[in-house]
Amino acid sequence: MPVFSFQRRKRPVRRTIPIPDATDGRRLEIRARKLMENRALGAYESVFRGHGVEFAEVRAYQPGDPFQAIDWKVTARMGRPFVKRFVEERELSVLIAVDVSGSLETGTRGNTKRQLALEVAALLGLAASRNNDRVGLLLFSDRLERWIRPRRGRGRLRQLLHVLVTQVPAGRGTDLGLAFRTLVRALNTRSLVFVISDFRDADFHRELAVAGKKHDVVGIQLDDHSERKPPPAGIVEVVDPETGRTGLIDLASAGVREEIERTAAEREARLAEMFMRAGCDRVVLRTDQSFAADLASFFAKRARARLH
């Protein structure tokens, strides 16, 4: 699926992504720790709790039990409140799958989808490490770029962050079907899988559905405002960062902008339906907004839904 980066015709600006040096992994870790230390984001300490759980029993309500845990059917039958009790699965594996294709190099206001992907992956990796979960990494484009099996241990987070910022992709396109097939084959036990991508691929609903049955899949969609609502910038040169194809578009035309917005809305609706049918969660994060609070809110809603 073509992805275009908008550039003015008269004074073209080539957006380049600097190759990270070896210290960027450490800076990324510091950034993630600062985000997690924010009082508003304290929920990240338990961001994965409520995933790795299994039903244990129904017992009588006790003062202090969460309201959401009440089993209303048993309560109605017994005439007094009862709650569901769960126990945590201690052997939880977390896989962070990151799209490193060319489309993630696009962005506005000095922030690209690639930079957003790195920060989100770092925050999730830190949360998993603090929860003492096994954590692994999958990097993909139109091919498998890197696979690191989930495990725990000292220095694990720093190792993954180093790979994230130093891996130079061999591919430019996007093959989400390959990414889902890979994680289904490679993960032997049910795992919590975060897929960080802009999901710019034609069709991967079958692979997503299979992965959703075997694992708890959460799609983290990266979005740039200009791709949904382009500015009336006049005639611009557009570049597909995955294929290198170029062209001209007149963004001064209201009809052209409306067509781009309509196509983006249809694509968003298809993605929403695809994830819903697969039984997988999805959250949209934007390059022009702070993502941490939106991600924390998403996980809070997810935890409440799982209790029900």
Side-chain angles (χ1 to χ4, degrees):
M1 182 178 295
V3 183
F4 293 108
S5 175
F6 297 110
Q7 300 174 349
R8 289 186 181 277
R9 174 64 171 166
K10 292 183 178 180
R11 303 179 66 181
V13 177
R14 302 291 179 183
R15 184 181 298 281
T16 59
I17 305 300
I19 298 176
D21 60 39
T23 64
D24 278 354
R26 178 60 177 159
R27 287 199 289 265
L28 198 58
E29 180 183 355
I30 293 172
R31 164 72 172 158
R33 291 187 185 278
K34 287 182 178 179
L35 286 172
M36 191 171 290
E37 287 166 3
N38 187 315
R39 281 193 305 175
L41 302 177
Y44 276 116
E45 289 290 352
S46 58
V47 75
F48 303 130
R49 292 175 191 157
H51 162 78
V53 297
E54 57 183 8
F55 175 74
E57 63 179 354
V58 174
R59 61 163 174 78
Y61 176 86
Q62 298 175 2
D65 285 337
F67 175 78
Q68 295 88 345
I70 292 178
D71 188 320
W72 293 106
K73 291 183 179 179
V74 176
T75 296
R77 187 168 65 247
M78 301 300 292
R80 57 193 179 97
F82 278 77
V83 296
K84 296 178 181 179
R85 190 175 73 85
F86 298 85
V87 294
E88 288 195 48
E89 297 173 2
R90 299 315 305 165
E91 297 298 317
L92 177 62
S93 290
V94 177
L95 178 69
I96 303 173
V98 184
D99 182 351
V100 293
S101 64
S103 64
L104 267 73
E105 295 179 5
T106 61
T108 53
R109 299 185 181 179
N111 193 24
T112 64
K113 288 186 282 187
R114 170 172 163 76
Q115 183 60 37
L116 179 57
L118 291 177
E119 293 188 3
V120 172
L123 189 59
L124 295 174
L126 178 59
S129 296
R130 287 191 174 184
N131 207 42
N132 200 32
D133 295 322
R134 293 191 300 263
V135 57
L137 183 68
L138 169 67
L139 303 183
F140 67 94
S141 56
D142 52 12
R143 65 200 73 187
L144 178 62
E145 300 284 353
R146 191 71 177 265
W147 162 252
I148 302 178
R149 185 173 297 279
R151 68 174 178 83
R152 61 171 63 90
R154 294 183 60 186
R156 181 59 164 175
L157 176 63
R158 198 157 297 175
Q159 175 197 3
L160 298 183
L161 295 183
H162 176 76
V163 172
L164 264 174
V165 300
T166 59
Q167 183 81 20
V168 179
R172 299 289 297 173
T174 306
D175 191 339
L176 282 155
L178 172 63
F180 286 117
R181 289 193 300 272
T182 299
L183 66 89
V184 166
R185 289 196 306 265
L187 295 173
N188 298 322
T189 59
R190 182 170 176 81
S191 303
L192 175 57
V193 178
F194 296 102
V195 182
I196 305 173
S197 173
D198 56 4
F199 296 99
R200 294 281 184 166
D201 198 1
D203 188 14
F204 53 92
H205 74 276
R206 291 184 181 87
E207 294 87 349
L208 174 62
V210 171
K213 289 180 180 178
K214 186 175 180 182
H215 303 290
D216 186 1
V217 177
V218 178
I220 300 181
Q221 181 181 338
L222 310 178
D223 181 63
D224 188 78
H225 182 67
S226 67
E227 295 174 342
R228 290 175 180 260
K229 193 175 181 62
I235 297 178
V236 297
E237 180 183 19
V238 293
V239 180
D240 186 331
E242 295 195 354
T243 66
R245 292 191 297 117
T246 62
L248 295 177
I249 292 182
D250 184 7
L251 291 181
S253 167
V256 171
R257 296 197 307 276
E258 289 172 2
E259 176 66 17
I260 293 174
E261 292 173 15
R262 183 187 62 80
T263 301
E266 291 176 352
R267 174 180 168 274
E268 175 64 18
R270 286 196 301 269
L271 279 174
E273 182 179 7
M274 193 182 303
F275 273 85
M276 182 188 67
R277 288 182 177 274
C280 300
D281 290 333
R282 181 182 67 111
V283 60
V284 180
L285 304 178
R286 287 175 44 173
T287 58
D288 60 341
Q289 296 178 354
S290 175
F291 74 90
D294 289 340
L295 196 58
S297 175
F298 164 75
F299 278 112
K301 292 178 182 177
R302 172 183 159 90
R304 289 194 296 270
R306 294 185 70 85
L307 277 174
H308 285 294

